[in-house]
Amino acid sequence: MFNKSEKHNPNYLASIVKIESFRPHSNADKLKVTSLFGNNVITGINAENGIYCYFPLECAISNEFLSYTNSFRDKDLNRIKEQKGLFEENSRVKAVKLRGEKSEGYIVPVSQLESFAEDVLNQKIEITEKYVGSDFDLFFEHSICKKYIPKGMRNSGEAGKKKTRGNVKKYASRLVENQFNFHQDTSHLKREMHRVSPDDYISVTEKLHGCNFIVSNVLVKRKLSLVDRVSKFFRANVAETEYGMLYSSRAVIKNSVMDDGKENNNFYDTDVWKIVADKIFPSLAKGISVVGEIVGYTPSGQYIQKGYDYNCSSGNLDFWIFKVTHTSACGKVYVFNHRETVDFCQKFNFKMPQTHYYGKAKDYFPEISVENHWHDNFLQKMIDVHLEKKCTICTNDVWAEGVILRKDSPFEWDAFKLKSFNFLEGESKQLDSGEVDIETAESSQTE
C-alpha cells in the first residue's frame, strides 16, 4: 500500500513516523511543536504521541486527501463546507514561520489515512508500528504527494519553449548506451543522517544557488559518410563511435542529435549551458564528465537565480564544478573523490565551491562523543555551524543556501544537502509571487 512511483523524487516522499514527544509552542497557546528528521514541525494543541504521516517541504499533497480531511483554507474545496484548514489551492507544504517559530513540514495522524483509504479508495488498512519508516508517494496507487510545480508551469511547455511549425526534420541521436549520465537528485541530510558513519571520509562544501550543468567528453555515434556506409555494407570494419561533447542542464541533454549545430530540447533562446560547455570541453580528457552550477546572469541580463549575482556583473555568468567522473568505453563510471576533484579544478583553473572540511566525520566535531547519540548531535552541530548565514560571495544581500556533505565513494555520488531555513522561506515566497527561475521552469517540462 505504501509504494514509490517510477519517477519519484526522494526529497518529496511522505513518511510514516512515530512521534514520542511534543513541546508547547513558544508563542501560541493552541499550537504544539515536534522534531522530525531535524525539522521543526508545528501542529494543533490536541496532537498526542503516536503514529503520523509526515509530508516534507515543497511537496504538493493530494487534493483529494486535503479535501477529505477538510484542510483547505477555502471552505468550498473541503468535504465538510463548514470546516476550514490551512492549505491554499496549490496544496503545497511551505516553509513559514508561525508566531515566531519555524514550520518545516506537515503531519497528520495515520487515522486520517486509514479513513481516506476506506471511504475514498475502497481499501481497508490499519497502520501500525510495523509501517513506521515507510517512505512513499503512492498510497494504494493513489498519488498522495509529489514535488510542487507552479501552476503556470505544469505540462505547459510554454516557458520560453521554442516552437516549430510544419514538417519537422528528425535527426539521429548521438547517444551511446551507458556513456552519458545525468546527475541524480541529492537527498536531504536531515533525512539521511543515519547513512553517515563516524569513520566515513567526508567533505563539507558550500552549496551554490544556480542552475545545474553537465559537460562530458564521452563516446558518441559518428555521422557516417557515404564511403563509411558503403564500406559497412560490404562488412568492412568501420568505427561507428568517437569521443565528443555532450552537455546538459539538470534533466535535458542539449546536443543529443547527429547534425552539427542542430540541437534539440532547448527551451530558451539563451543557452547558458552551451556557453559553459564551450569553455570547459577543451580541458576534458576522453571519458571525463564534470557537473556544476551556473550562476550570475544570462547574456540578456536575467538572473540565473533572482538576487544571487555571485559577484558577476549584469550579462555575465560564472560556473563552479563540484563533481568529476570518468566513464570507460564499456560504461563503467568512476567518481573522483573530493581531493581528486580539488586537484582537477586547480589543474585547469576551474572554480570549486568552498571546502569547509575534509576528513573523517568523527574528527570534524571531535568534542561530540561517538558513543552517545552521535548522529543527532553531529546533525545539530552542522546546523549550528553552517546554516542561517548570508552569502559571502554575492554582492547582493542574500541568504546562503547551505552546504553539501559528501562521503568519498569511487563508484557512486553519495552526498546530502543541508539547507538554511531562511533560504527555504525566501524560496517559498518567490514561488508564491509567481517568479520561476530558469532551472525550475525547464525541469517542470520533464516532470
Side-chain angles (χ1 to χ4, degrees), residues 377 379-387 389 418:
N377 293 333
L379 177 59
Q380 188 58 54
K381 193 72 173 179
M382 286 284 293
I383 292 171
D384 293 342
V385 170
H386 293 295
L387 300 190
K389 298 179 181 297
L418 186 62

Side-chain angles (χ1 to χ4, degrees), residues 90-232:
N90 61 23
S91 308
R92 173 167 146 247
V93 182
K94 300 193 294 184
V96 295
K97 286 184 180 177
L98 298 175
R99 300 291 297 273
E101 288 220 29
K102 296 183 293 185
S103 177
E104 301 174 282
Y106 178 68
I107 58 172
V108 295
V110 291
S111 59
Q112 294 190 14
L113 276 180
E114 294 170 344
S115 299
F116 177 73
E118 184 171 3
D119 296 344
V120 179
L121 306 180
N122 297 315
Q123 301 284 348
K124 187 78 173 177
I125 181 179
E126 181 183 3
I127 303 175
T128 61
E129 277 197 42
K130 72 178 182 179
Y131 295 110
V132 170
S134 299
D135 297 328
F136 61 102
D137 61 347
L138 296 178
F139 182 52
F140 288 110
E141 303 310 311
H142 175 77
S143 178
I144 199 72
C145 61
K146 59 185 177 181
K147 179 181 178 180
Y148 170 72
I149 296 174
K151 186 175 181 179
M153 301 307 304
R154 297 172 200 165
N155 301 317
S156 66
E158 296 297 325
K161 186 175 180 179
K162 294 182 179 178
K163 299 180 181 180
T164 57
R165 299 190 181 190
N167 295 326
V168 179
K169 182 178 178 181
K170 294 183 179 179
Y171 298 94
S173 172
R174 308 177 70 209
L175 299 182
V176 173
E177 187 177 4
N178 297 324
Q179 283 293 298
F180 182 87
N181 296 284
F182 284 112
H183 179 62
Q184 65 268 37
D185 291 309
T186 305
S187 299
H188 290 289
L189 181 63
K190 289 181 177 181
R191 295 189 71 149
E192 304 292 343
M193 187 62 217
H194 63 278
R195 291 174 53 189
V196 182
S197 299
D199 285 320
D200 287 337
Y201 271 87
I202 65 166
S203 60
V204 178
T205 56
E206 193 74 9
K207 189 175 190 318
L208 273 64
H209 188 38
C211 68
N212 210 229
F213 74 86
I214 305 171
V215 184
S216 297
N217 184 4
V218 290
L219 285 173
V220 296
K221 293 177 182 177
R222 287 183 61 223
K223 185 179 180 181
L224 300 183
S225 66
L226 177 60
V227 173
D228 289 331
R229 294 196 297 271
V230 172
S231 298
K232 185 179 177 183

